[in-house]
Amino acid sequence: MALAVSTTSCDDFLTADVRGQENLDTYFQNEEEVNAFVAGCYFELTKMDWWQVSNAWLMSDMTTDDLWDGNTTQDDGYQDITHFMPNAAANGIIQNFWGARYQGIHTCNEAIARIPGASMDEDLRNQRLAEVRFLRAFYYFDLARNFGGVPLILEPLDNTSGMGRSTLDEVYDFCEKEFADVAGILPQRSEYAAADLGRATRGAALGLLGKVQLYHGKMADAKKTLGTVIDEKQYDLLPEFGQVWDIAYNNSVESLFEVQQAYGGDLYNLGGSLTVMTGCRNGVGDGWSWGQPTSDLENAYIAAGDTERLRWTIIKTGCTEIAGEDQFNKFIENNLTKDSYQGGVDNSEFQDCKKLFGWTDDYITTRYLIKPSQHKSARIIRKYFVPLAQRPEVYNICKIPLNHRILRFADVLLMYAEACQATNDEGNARIALNRVRTRVNLPDVTSSGNALRDAIRLERRLELAFEQCRLYDIRRWKADNGKSVMANLFGPDGSFVKYNTGDNADMYEKNNQGEPSDKGIRFSESRDLLWPIPQYEIQHSNGAIEQNPGF
């Protein structure tokens, strides 16, 4: 079997020389070769492209009350999943994601099998093995939280035909054991040199262990694990919420683990894609407009009085500023004079909007406008937005040097708060919760019982929007009526469906039916708390892999 050693997205430790093809039987001879192969295991986090992993991560948030599919000018592959269609098992996005994750697992399995034979410092060899085991456990966690139990492959195999699924408990148990084991081997964040920031750490392993335990319903275990992360004081909240998703704060003190992304110039795809995938289609040509914030999420910020996180999370048409953008007037100019992403300047819609939405000439020339006909909600994601001054020379997919935050300290605090509340430690739950709220100038929560539980749940939505948390939260949380929270949002009687199809629906969302406003009406709790197993994988396994119920 041949190996193509891959470069990754970071301009320091993860960037390896391109080495062409190597034979695995003669590879792993020394530290240099081990380091290069381990870099390839990190590369598998996103594969430095948009369609294998980042696309599915974005779709996970689209499958909630936080995001629409968004782009209403093109057919998409999302609605099979995000609108709960009966043909979802044939969806290409989940097939690509499944394949990418198992490719990553295979790469890690090769490394775990072969690194022990390399001639290198023993402590460093053990650390590199722990890093790879960490990554493999994360890849399995990413699969399990989406599909449920999956085939658990722990050694290099060229043919897995006929291998069936492990149970969800078995996969989560494996992830928990791996994260716990490597947490005892990996260095703390403070023990890494600057050039090694981005590697897996003890804190990252414990943080993800706590998340798996939380998802697995092991609240007491999660409380202990996440409390350890807090007590070891390797991480803290950044002073300002607006710093969290800023290129200048890649690998900040708030970050436990993130995808390392860098600008690779014309030649190399070493950067991220979500900035372009979610950017506005018109004007300066920011992007493709997939994944647009819902007015339901905007209303949640407004109802909570959370103006600070709102402005750093959502950009809405008609705004007179974009948080962190010092060249706002340039965006207005580009809106009116520059070619759109698809080419050509056509601002006739802005004139049409005078009558439809009451826009005036002054409104058009002084505000940043997102064309309502092309965008389901006329809103875009601020977290992924990159201000003009920070944009690379070639602004495109796979070029954006904004690291993708997989796990950060605010998430740890809120998971800890949830675990404390569930185990009747309400004092510590409030302390952790209010620590997050204080940063954005919100008053302390003093409630108890279900009111405290609901305050923590709301805080997770407001703090972690578009960070691949919401779907897994609403699936696992139970409401007072015994249903999952997701079942109360979606389905024919779901609150999200009723709002968007009712008289009080947002005017932009109601006017643009390029994406139907009844998103979620087909949801079934007995089926849609997991994604379907890709149909190809069931066929390829010769029936050994069984489909999830209802598909």
Side-chain angles (χ1 to χ4, degrees), residues 425-491:
D425 183 1
E426 294 190 337
N428 279 320
R430 283 189 289 267
I431 289 171
L433 169 63
N434 290 329
R435 188 171 171 183
V436 176
R437 290 173 62 82
T438 296
R439 176 167 62 179
V440 291
N441 303 313
L442 291 176
D444 284 354
V445 169
T446 60
S447 56
S448 300
N450 286 352
L452 176 58
R453 178 203 66 188
D454 293 344
I456 294 168
R457 291 178 176 183
L458 174 60
E459 200 71 20
R460 287 189 62 78
R461 186 185 191 192
L462 303 180
E463 175 72 25
L464 302 169
F466 320 136
E467 297 185 32
Q468 292 75 62
C469 293
R470 180 66 173 169
L471 176 60
Y472 314 109
D473 285 345
I474 61 177
R475 279 175 172 174
R476 65 186 177 84
W477 285 337
K478 290 294 184 182
D480 292 338
N481 62 0
K483 294 183 178 181
S484 71
V485 168
M486 193 171 188
N488 286 332
L489 293 169
F490 296 123

Side-chain angles (χ1 to χ4, degrees), residues 321-341:
E321 67 172 1
I322 297 173
E325 177 52 74
D326 296 331
Q327 301 182 55
F328 180 75
N329 290 340
K330 184 71 172 177
F331 267 91
I332 297 175
E333 177 187 341
N334 289 341
N335 238 23
L336 299 175
T337 63
K338 300 293 184 181
D339 287 354
S340 73
Y341 194 91

Side-chain angles (χ1 to χ4, degrees), residues 28 34 110-120 125-126 129:
F28 294 99
V34 167
E110 291 284 7
I112 291 166
R114 297 175 185 272
I115 287 175
S119 178
M120 60 187 296
R125 179 170 57 235
N126 290 338
L129 274 168

Side-chain angles (χ1 to χ4, degrees), residues 162-200:
M163 178 172 288
R165 301 170 65 177
S166 297
T167 67
L168 179 60
D169 284 338
E170 289 170 339
V171 178
Y172 275 170
D173 285 343
F174 167 77
C175 293
E176 289 167 21
K177 183 180 184 304
E178 288 292 276
F179 285 135
D181 285 353
V182 301
I185 302 170
L186 291 169
Q188 294 277 23
R189 169 193 166 87
S190 61
E191 295 172 340
Y192 272 127
D196 284 318
L197 287 181
R199 291 191 184 274

